[in-house]
Amino acid sequence: MKFCFSAIILLFTMQTLAVNLKKREKNPTSVYRVKSIVTKVKEDDLIKTLRDFIKNNRPSRMVGTASHEKVASWLVEEIKRKDPNSKGLVIVDEFEPDLERAKKSYLQEFQNEIVGKFQPGDKIYQRWDSFTKNMIKRLDSFKGIKGKNVIWEKKGSKYPNEVLLLGAHYDTVIFDKKNMVVNNKGRQPGADNNGTGVSALLQMIELLSQVEIQKTIRIVFFDFQEFDFLGARAYLKKYETPLKEENFNGMVNVLMLGHDTKNEDKEKKYGNFKAYGRKGMGGPSSHDKALFDMLNVAGKKMSSHIDFEYVGNNFNTGDHLPFWENGYPAVTFTQNWESDYNSKNHHTSNDFVETINFKSFYHSFLYLSGSVISWAMELK
């Protein structure tokens, strides 16, 4: 009976994993071998992970809602399914969000970007005044609510002190587009923003858990991103000393990989995605570019459908910002916000799975997973 029960457990594990690597595949010796591994994950596997994430955490992942409260637990269970042999360490970091800092940030942004440039009677002024006041009111309502960052980390067997962090936020928010007031009662599927980032990293964990990586990969699912990136700020505050002691190679922010059109694209083509870093030619901006170049060498060999173009423009929407503020290299891999931005669905109730370009999302996953595994195995 004991043998049969073990066999059933093994069968169940094999059926729930999208990919079961053979022994010889777990230690790839070339980028070509890495590509053969990542393409074992099929488009349907990735989309199923995305659908499961949306379905099991509906109707909303907005801070303060009942469904938001359960997301961290669901992520832990899903990570265990993706890493059934516990090759990586799973941590849930509960934190007190710095609400006062966030309120000051919104007030300062309003002062810098709106006051003096627009008159109080202007529609733009009124819209952003409404947004700022509503965000502060919303932050006040979060008093007593704790955030939860979910971390999965697999140590490198040869260079455990060489660390690359990949992050994706899991919370959502929707706004009334006219006055930019938060709608906390509306449905918030958040498929593109940021179900695509979360599901890409979950699927990546399934591969990384089986590959015998030489360098350390840390994956963080950030909470409270929609409110001044408070989850990322809490992470950096808690791990300030360890980050300085290890050889931290940088942060890769995985954000909104599901929107890609041709008709609405100003360039009239598919696959023209972006990787955003800091503006400038030297100093911190050069470290962001170096991080991108390090990943792009292998990433561009994973797919001919997707091209991530590096742009140094101080992109200000994402969990990479606190890393920049703390002096670390960081790059956001995302859709093309200048040419093909998902304006119709971003922060709306219409951001559901069926609006996503499955092919482009899948090839973005191939690019990122291939580049990360190649880096962790010291392959170019």
Side-chain angles (χ1 to χ4, degrees):
M1 179 64 70
K2 185 176 180 180
F3 172 79
C4 292
F5 181 75
S6 299
I8 291 172
I9 292 295
L10 177 61
L11 178 61
F12 176 77
T13 300
M14 292 177 67
Q15 288 176 336
T16 56
L17 288 176
V19 175
N20 278 280
L21 299 183
K22 297 177 181 178
K23 186 176 181 179
R24 58 180 174 82
E25 295 174 316
K26 295 181 179 182
N27 190 17
T29 55
S30 68
V31 172
Y32 172 78
R33 295 292 185 186
V34 171
K35 184 176 181 179
S36 69
I37 291 171
V38 298
T39 52
K40 284 180 175 289
V41 176
K42 303 305 178 186
E43 182 180 301
D44 288 348
D45 300 322
L46 183 62
I47 301 305
K48 181 182 183 303
T49 298
L50 173 61
R51 290 188 186 279
D52 287 346
F53 175 59
I54 304 301
K55 176 182 177 181
N56 286 281
N57 298 286
R58 61 188 179 189
S60 168
R61 301 190 301 278
M62 180 177 153
V63 174
T65 63
S67 48
H68 169 266
E69 178 64 26
K70 67 182 182 181
V71 181
S73 296
W74 184 89
L75 284 169
V76 170
E77 292 305 311
E78 185 65 14
I79 289 171
K80 290 179 180 178
R81 285 190 283 270
K82 302 294 187 186
D83 180 15
N85 296 315
S86 300
K87 295 294 184 178
L89 175 67
V90 183
I91 300 172
V92 178
D93 266 345
E94 193 172 76
F95 62 89
E96 295 277 358
D98 191 347
L99 303 178
E100 292 304 313
R101 188 213 179 283
K103 289 193 288 185
K104 290 178 182 177
S105 177
Y106 286 116
L107 287 169
Q108 189 64 54
E109 185 176 22
F110 180 71
Q111 187 70 30
N112 293 343
E113 301 298 329
I114 303 300
V115 176
K117 298 180 181 179
F118 302 93
Q119 296 300 313
D122 294 343
K123 288 184 178 180
I124 292 178
Y125 186 102
Q126 293 174 352
R127 187 169 184 256
W128 288 102
D129 181 50
S130 174
F131 167 78
T132 303
K133 290 176 179 176
N134 183 254
M135 292 301 278
I136 291 173
K137 180 180 179 181
R138 187 63 52 189
L139 287 163
D140 283 334
S141 74
F142 293 156
K143 289 180 180 178
I145 297 176
K146 293 184 178 180
K148 295 176 182 177
N149 291 331
V150 180
I151 305 169
W152 180 87
E153 177 178 287
K154 185 175 179 181
K155 291 288 187 182
S157 60
K158 190 174 181 180
Y159 307 107
N161 210 42
E162 295 281 337
V163 179
L164 182 68
L165 186 152
L166 293 97
H169 80 88
Y170 66 79
D171 58 313
T172 58
V173 69
I174 60 173
F175 298 101
D176 181 317
K177 292 291 186 177
K178 292 182 180 180
N179 55 23
M180 292 300 289
V181 170
V182 173
N183 177 357
N184 64 325
K185 296 181 179 179
R187 181 177 53 124
Q188 301 176 28
D192 185 26
N193 183 31
N194 187 30
T196 51
V198 170
S199 53
L201 293 188
L202 284 171
Q203 206 64 57
M204 200 181 298
I205 287 173
E206 186 170 312
L207 293 173
L208 289 166
S209 68
Q210 299 178 67
V211 176
E212 297 172 4
I213 57 176
Q214 298 180 11
K215 300 177 183 178
T216 296
I217 299 294
R218 183 178 300 145
I219 290 177
V220 185
F221 300 98
F222 289 112
D223 198 0
F224 266 89
Q225 186 266 6
E226 299 290 4
F227 298 91
D228 196 41
F229 324 111
L230 291 178
R233 297 190 190 284
Y235 173 87
L236 285 162
K237 182 178 180 180
K238 179 172 182 176
Y239 295 102
E240 179 180 6
T241 299
L243 283 169
K244 290 179 179 178
E245 291 176 348
E246 64 193 16
N247 187 9
F248 184 64
N249 281 252
M251 185 267 193
V252 175
N253 187 35
V254 184
L255 177 70
M256 294 173 63
L257 298 174
H259 181 76
D260 188 23
T261 69
K262 187 174 182 180
N263 292 335
E264 298 174 12
D265 189 336
K266 295 176 183 178
E267 300 173 26
K268 300 301 178 185
K269 62 181 181 180
Y270 291 116
N272 51 337
F273 279 34
K274 292 293 179 71
Y276 293 111
R278 276 169 284 195
K279 191 174 183 178
M281 297 298 292
S285 61
S286 65
H287 300 308
D288 300 338
K289 181 60 163 58
L291 173 59
F292 168 78
D293 289 340
M294 178 177 72
L295 296 171
N296 190 51
V297 170
K300 64 185 179 182
K301 297 176 183 178
M302 298 296 126
S303 169
S304 60
H305 179 76
I306 288 291
D307 176 29
F308 278 97
E309 178 189 0
Y310 180 83
V311 178
N313 66 350
N314 291 338
F315 184 71
N316 64 356
T317 302
D319 284 318
H320 62 282
L321 276 175
F323 285 84
W324 284 353
E325 293 167 2
N326 282 269
Y328 297 111
V331 176
T332 288
F333 286 81
T334 184
Q335 58 198 236
N336 191 326
W337 285 56
E338 291 79 26
S339 177
D340 196 17
Y341 164 56
N342 191 3
S343 58
K344 291 182 179 179
N345 303 319
H346 189 206
H347 289 155
T348 76
S349 292
N350 296 322
D351 185 9
F352 47 84
V353 175
E354 285 69 25
T355 65
I356 285 173
N357 184 321
F358 291 171
K359 182 177 180 180
S360 294
F361 174 37
Y362 173 64
H363 284 268
S364 297
F365 163 77
L366 295 180
Y367 175 103
L368 287 168
S369 57
S371 65
V372 169
I373 292 174
S374 296
W375 174 85
M377 299 299 297
E378 290 200 302
L379 303 174
K380 294 182 180 180

